[in-house]
Amino acid sequence: MLAKLIIAVLLIAIVVSLFSALFFMLKDSSKSKRTLRALSMRVGLQVALIVFLLVATMMGWIHPHGIGG
């Protein structure tokens, strides 16, 4: 249950970071680095999610299943 909560929080954080980058891209001046930071954070969160999914699968916290299996 905790693993699913962590996955959901990471996914929500990724979406929030993506939309904040969009907002900064539309509203900030061209010299601002906030868009770059928001997109970098999104990439970092995605890497963290993938690593967490791999670790959780290897530790047996989550169990993948096949499609239609």
Side-chain angles (χ1 to χ4, degrees):
M1 183 69 175
L2 180 63
K4 291 179 183 180
L5 181 64
I6 292 171
I7 292 168
V9 168
L10 283 172
L11 286 173
I12 291 169
I14 289 169
V15 171
V16 168
S17 177
L18 185 62
F19 279 106
S20 67
L22 175 66
F23 177 77
F24 294 146
M25 185 175 67
L26 293 175
K27 297 295 179 185
D28 280 354
S29 66
S30 62
K31 294 182 181 182
S32 177
K33 302 254 186 216
R34 293 197 306 180
T35 303
L36 178 64
R37 274 190 236 127
L39 291 175
S40 298
M41 181 175 287
R42 182 184 63 90
V43 170
L45 288 169
Q46 286 180 301
V47 169
L49 177 62
I50 291 169
V51 169
F52 179 76
L53 287 173
L54 290 173
V55 169
T57 302
M58 286 191 279
M59 298 294 286
W61 300 336
I62 58 174
H63 302 285
H65 54 84
I67 296 174

